[in-house]
Amino acid sequence: MSNAKLPATARKSKGDEITSGGRQDYVTMTIADQLFGIPVLQVQDVLGHQRITRIPLAPPEVAGSLNLRGRIVTAIDVRLRLGLTSRPKDKPGMSIVVDLRGELYSLMVDSVGEVLSLSNDDFERNPATLDPRWREVSTGIYRLNGQLMVVLDVPRLLNFTTMEAA
């Protein structure tokens, strides 16, 4: 990930610990007006709108693939993955590139926010009222000034074998 895109607190190499002092850093994103976060160490890059090539016979949430500096990246429409409606065509969106077991995935979201350093003490398990599809791909939540941030579990989000069909 380009260091210029993140605040100085997140400018660390992959091997560095960012959880010092009982804190965890998250890259935030918005999907259908809901705030989500993923651990910053899982983020490889942040991209603007990209040209995506459809993949025949792929599940609906697999938007296609794109070329990122010579590597093929599978683009996942996180809205569809979470059981939400498609993003309007006039809203281009952004992507967060993550690495899962050596494969790159582009998580297509509405917008990418900032890096938040949050106390582990404020982390809560998923509430029973959270949508079951979201609970399945989330590790928990943070309550931030009246707004709920759902922490996505990237390996479970990208595990297509355990998720119910849309």
Side-chain angles (χ1 to χ4, degrees), residues 80-163:
L80 295 180
R81 191 75 175 128
L82 296 173
L84 301 168
T85 59
S86 296
R87 185 178 51 258
K89 298 286 185 208
D90 62 335
K91 309 259 189 220
M94 296 182 76
S95 292
I96 295 176
V97 178
V98 297
D99 183 317
L100 181 65
R101 295 183 286 278
E103 293 292 323
L104 293 180
Y105 294 88
S106 170
L107 305 178
M108 298 168 54
V109 299
D110 295 350
S111 65
V112 177
E114 59 189 335
V115 173
L116 295 179
S117 181
L118 301 172
S119 171
N120 292 337
D121 294 337
D122 295 331
F123 181 80
E124 301 176 33
R125 297 214 181 276
N126 288 321
T129 56
L130 190 65
D131 182 288
R133 287 189 71 147
W134 292 20
R135 248 192 339 262
E136 191 171 326
V137 296
S138 168
T139 59
I141 63 164
Y142 282 93
R143 296 178 198 274
L144 308 171
N145 300 326
Q147 188 175 24
L148 190 73
M149 184 181 88
V150 178
V151 178
L152 292 175
D153 182 316
V154 172
R156 289 193 303 196
L157 181 72
L158 296 174
N159 184 353
F160 290 93
T161 59
T162 62
M163 195 103 177

